[in-house]
């Protein structure tokens, strides 16, 4: 019989200085001008007395494999938690700092990144010292912010609101209390890009989840920690439109209204959850090689570089993408082209709940499939989590690839790969997550 789970939680401010360049939109041409709301890392550490695991949730556009490895190494050095048992996931806010070198003309704040890595590891250390026996439960609300963002008309797929496309308005809520009923922490999960604010915004913000977390924490007291988990949402985003389908930036007044509404929904759902003892913590992970679509030959990129247009479509190449094309040409010439990209798929089980994570912007269908299969095959509840432990770009479904569109063609805008991922990635990712969930379930038997 597994031991009852203990929980420790911590909150760390990770807001960079004004002037730091922001991530998410290549249209920005200078650094941040203001801070609308602070960015945080919220950390949850779980222990059953034998196994420990940490989930680090960050108000960031993403985190690289290199930074993930650095944080894990520091955690291993500073605590008794194995680095491989740390999951670092991001909200993908496009109003946060850039966390990788992706702009040819944008100064990269290396000093901030090293400080960030130390802060995240330090947050795990703090949460680990706060472990206490906890009870918990899962509930759900609903919030109508997300909409499918792939609209196909006359054979052309555009980034526009598609009311008939797949979307999930479920707000999954995790309630964690001390044995005496004192509220310890709340985690909530939603599958929607954090792109409420557009490229014209130069103020740091945690987007739609930020103020909602604050709302929950104010409800339950200053010692309460509210964490946000981003679900698979490569094809969904906030439904702010100018003509019913064309997306626009929200105003901060609109964003603050979302904060109150989402925060209230989380609190309402939390209040209806009945807590019970949680038994067992287990972790499993696997690095898989992601299959690529057909890779263009060297002449394709050489022609693209010479003409500054894509040979197959005639579309003009942006300045940022030209740097990427130059790199592809150089890689062909030096025989260092990355033809076998990898992804770490990680699963953490706490009691009867499974957190299944991917490092990319994975389409919602992946997460729904994992959720359904884990429930049907293992009898466990699952939350799908994206942009965890790395940034591998968009991973579309097999069905979406023939229709093209931004998410299918985004590898041309700075991805590490010379081609988009093939439709075979879908079965690989889903099957692997379910297999890992099965491993974590077996560990509790």
């Amino acid at each position: 019989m597994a031991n009852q789970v203990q929980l420790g939680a911590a909150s760390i401010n990770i807001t960079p200085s004004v002037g730091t360049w922001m991530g998410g939109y290549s249209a920005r041409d200078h650094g941040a001008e203001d801070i609308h709301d602070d960015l945080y890392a919220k950390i949850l550490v779980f222990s059953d007395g034998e196994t420990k695991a940490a989930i680090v949730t960050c108000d960031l556009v993403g985190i690289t494999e290199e930074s993930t490895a650095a944080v894990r190494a520091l955690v291993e050095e500073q605590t008794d938690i194995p680095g491989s048992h740390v999951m670092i996931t991001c909200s993908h806010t496009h109003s946060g700092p850039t966390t990788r070198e992706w702009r040819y003309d944008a100064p990269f704040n290396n000093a901030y990144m090293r400080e960030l890595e130390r802060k995240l590891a330090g947050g795990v250390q703090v949460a680990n010292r706060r472990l206490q026996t906890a009870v918990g439960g899962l509930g759900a609300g609903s919030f109508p912010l997300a909409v499918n963002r792939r609209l196909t008309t006359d054979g052309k797929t555009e980034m526009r609101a598609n009311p008939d496309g797949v979307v999930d308005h479920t707000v999954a809520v995790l309630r964690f209390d001390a044995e005496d009923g004192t509220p310890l922490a709340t985690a909530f999960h939603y599958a929607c890009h954090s792109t409420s604010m557009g490229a014209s915004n130069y103020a740091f913000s945690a987007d739609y989840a930020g103020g909602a977390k604050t709302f929950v924490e104010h409800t339950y007291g200053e010692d309460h920690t509210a964490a946000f988990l981003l679900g698979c949402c490569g094809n969904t985003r906030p439904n702010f439109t100018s003509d019913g389908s064309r997306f626009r930036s929200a105003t901060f007044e609109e964003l603050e209204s979302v904060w109150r509404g989402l925060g209230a929904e989380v609190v309402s759902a939390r209040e209806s959850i009945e807590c019970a003892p949680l038994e067992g913590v287990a972790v499993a992970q696997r690095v898989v090689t992601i299959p690529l679509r057909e890779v263009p030959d060297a002449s394709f990129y050489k022609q693209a570089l010479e003409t500054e247009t894509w040979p197959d479509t005639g579309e003009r190449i942006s300045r940022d993408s030209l740097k990427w094309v130059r790199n592809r040409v150089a890689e062909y010439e030096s025989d260092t082209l990355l033809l076998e990209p990898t992804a770490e798929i990680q699963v953490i089980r706490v009691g009867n709940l499974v957190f299944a994570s991917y490092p990319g912007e994975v389409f919602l269908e992946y997460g729904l499939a994992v959720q359904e299969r884990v429930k049907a095959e293992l009898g466990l509840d699952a939350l799908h989590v994206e942009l965890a432990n790395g940034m591998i770009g968009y991973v579309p479904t097999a069905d979406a690839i023939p229709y093209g569109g931004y998410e299918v063609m985004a590898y041309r805008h700075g991805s590490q790969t010379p081609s988009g991922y093939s439709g075979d990635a879908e079965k690989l990712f889903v099957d692997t997550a379910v297999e890992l969930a099965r491993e974590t379930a077996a560990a509790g038997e």
Side-chain angles (χ1 to χ4, degrees), residues 261-279:
L262 179 56
E265 186 68 9
V266 172
V267 169
S268 176
R270 190 187 199 282
E271 289 298 305
S272 67
I273 297 170
E274 292 187 8
C275 289
L278 304 167
E279 294 185 346

Side-chain angles (χ1 to χ4, degrees), residues 23 25 38-39 62 70 107 113 117 125 130-132 163-165 193 234 241 272 283 293 327 329 363 389 400 420 442:
Y25 298 118
D38 280 322
L39 312 179
M113 290 306 300
E117 292 160 5
Q125 190 175 5
R130 295 176 177 174
L131 286 169
Q132 60 178 296
D164 298 320
H193 253 76
T241 61
S272 67
V283 183
R293 301 202 292 273
N327 289 340
V329 172
F363 275 33
N389 308 324

Side-chain angles (χ1 to χ4, degrees), residues 140-427:
S142 181
F143 195 69
L145 177 65
V147 68
N148 190 284
R149 69 181 205 174
R150 287 174 53 81
L151 182 65
T152 303
T153 307
D154 297 328
K156 182 181 180 182
T157 300
E158 298 179 281
M159 192 181 292
R160 301 182 71 163
N162 177 7
D164 298 320
V166 62
V167 71
D168 187 3
H169 290 150
T170 303
V171 183
V173 178
L174 292 167
R175 173 176 177 168
F176 298 107
D177 290 350
E179 289 187 296
D180 65 1
T182 302
L184 293 180
T186 303
F188 62 99
H189 171 277
Y190 195 63
C192 180
H193 253 76
S194 294
T195 51
S196 301
M197 308 306 297
S200 60
N201 171 47
Y202 282 89
F204 286 125
S205 171
D207 207 272
Y208 69 83
K213 289 184 292 183
T214 302
F215 185 102
V216 175
E217 290 175 342
H218 284 175
T219 300
Y220 294 105
E222 61 180 17
D223 292 331
H224 194 80
T225 299
F228 172 68
L229 295 159
L230 179 67
C232 296
C233 63
N235 49 347
T236 67
R237 64 161 287 165
N239 193 11
F240 294 105
T241 61
S242 57
D243 62 358
S245 69
R246 195 171 298 279
F247 292 113
R248 64 170 176 83
S249 174
T251 65
F252 275 118
E253 289 76 18
E254 289 172 321
L255 184 63
E256 289 159 10
S257 177
V258 167
W259 287 349
R260 292 187 291 272
L262 179 56
E265 186 68 9
V266 172
V267 169
S268 176
R270 190 187 199 282
E271 289 298 305
S272 67
I273 297 170
E274 292 187 8
C275 289
L278 304 167
E279 294 185 346
V281 176
V283 183
Q285 57 217 124
R286 189 178 305 165
V287 175
V288 299
T289 299
I290 319 170
L292 295 174
R293 301 202 292 273
E294 184 178 354
V295 179
D297 60 25
S299 64
F300 177 91
Y301 293 109
K302 289 179 180 178
Q303 182 181 341
L305 192 58
E306 291 169 1
T307 64
E308 298 190 3
T309 59
W310 295 113
D312 55 345
T313 66
E315 179 187 1
R316 187 162 183 81
I317 303 173
S318 69
R319 288 185 300 171
D320 292 318
S321 292
L322 275 176
K323 178 182 177 182
W324 182 79
V325 172
R326 289 191 192 96
N327 289 340
R328 295 293 84 80
V329 172
E331 287 168 344
Y332 266 108
E333 292 176 346
S334 63
D335 196 29
T336 58
L337 190 67
L338 179 64
L339 295 178
E340 294 188 329
T342 60
E344 178 192 314
I345 299 174
Q346 182 186 40
V347 168
I348 294 176
R349 179 183 63 80
V350 178
N352 291 322
L353 180 68
V354 165
F355 302 87
S357 72
Y358 301 112
E361 297 181 61
V362 180
F363 275 33
L364 174 60
E365 289 91 333
Y366 284 61
L368 296 179
V370 170
Q371 197 170 279
E372 181 179 345
R373 285 185 54 186
V374 168
K375 188 67 173 179
E377 297 175 26
L378 304 174
L380 302 177
D381 293 306
L383 295 182
H384 47 93
V385 182
E386 73 164 34
L387 282 166
N389 308 324
M391 302 164 69
I392 63 169
Y394 283 93
V395 192
T397 59
D399 288 344
I401 290 173
Y403 294 94
Y406 174 75
E407 298 85 359
V408 174
M409 301 299 291
Y411 69 92
R412 287 183 171 176
H413 299 270
S415 169
Q416 294 179 340
T417 66
S419 167
Y421 305 121
S422 85
D424 294 335
E426 183 172 0
K427 185 176 188 305

Side-chain angles (χ1 to χ4, degrees), residues 62-69 99-101 113 117 389-391:
I63 190 162
T64 64
E65 291 181 12
E66 293 77 12
S67 285
T68 298
T99 53
R100 63 183 173 95
E101 297 186 66
M113 290 306 300
E117 292 160 5
N389 308 324
M391 302 164 69

